[in-house]
Amino acid sequence: MLFGVFATHNPESCPLNNKNSKRIFIEMGGKLKSAQRKFRIAKIIGFYMSVLEHQWVIMMDAKDAHDIEKFCIEVGISAISTVKIVPMSDFANSLKKFKSLE
C-alpha cells in the first residue's frame, strides 16, 4: 500500500539551525535501510525536502501505517518533526475505479 509521510518541524528545530537535530538528521542516513527491513517497509519511493518550508515528504510502499510510525520513531524523524501518515492512491488506478462506477 502506498503512503505519504509528511513531516514538519519549526525553524528552531531545523537541522540547519539546531545542533541536536543536525546530529539526528546525519545519523538518519545510516538508519534508513536497516529500519526499512525491520519495519517491513517494502520500498521508500522518494524522500523529498523543502528546506525553507521545513517540511519533508516521504513516499513509501508498506503494509501498515503502524510500521511506518515505528520506522519514523526508530530513524529519528519523529524526534525532529510532527509526522502525518496518509494512505495514497495512484491517479490512474483511481481514474479506472471512478469510471467503473458510472
Side-chain angles (χ1 to χ4, degrees):
M1 185 171 188
L2 187 61
F3 290 91
V5 180
F6 302 88
T8 306
H9 55 263
N10 60 42
E12 294 78 25
S13 64
C14 181
L16 284 173
N17 305 321
N18 182 295
K19 287 181 182 183
N20 187 51
S21 295
K22 182 179 180 180
R23 179 188 53 76
I24 291 168
F25 182 80
I26 291 169
E27 290 173 357
M28 198 181 304
K31 295 179 179 180
L32 292 174
K33 286 287 182 198
S34 62
Q36 183 179 340
R37 284 188 298 276
K38 181 177 179 179
F39 297 110
R40 303 178 304 154
I41 309 297
K43 185 175 183 180
I44 297 175
I45 297 164
F47 193 146
Y48 308 98
M49 298 176 179
S50 176
V51 176
L52 296 179
E53 294 293 325
H54 304 283
Q55 189 164 51
W56 304 345
V57 179
I58 311 160
M59 297 303 296
M60 294 184 176
D61 181 2
K63 292 185 184 236
D64 189 285
H66 290 98
D67 290 334
I68 295 173
E69 177 183 55
K70 293 174 198 167
F71 171 90
C72 289
I73 293 167
E74 178 97 2
V75 301
I77 294 169
S78 65
I80 300 171
S81 300
T82 300
V83 178
K84 183 176 179 181
I85 302 166
V86 181
M88 306 295 281
S89 298
D90 177 82
F91 176 77
N93 291 340
S94 296
L95 184 61
K96 200 181 304 182
K97 183 178 180 178
F98 295 154
K99 284 183 176 182
S100 74
L101 297 174
E102 288 184 14

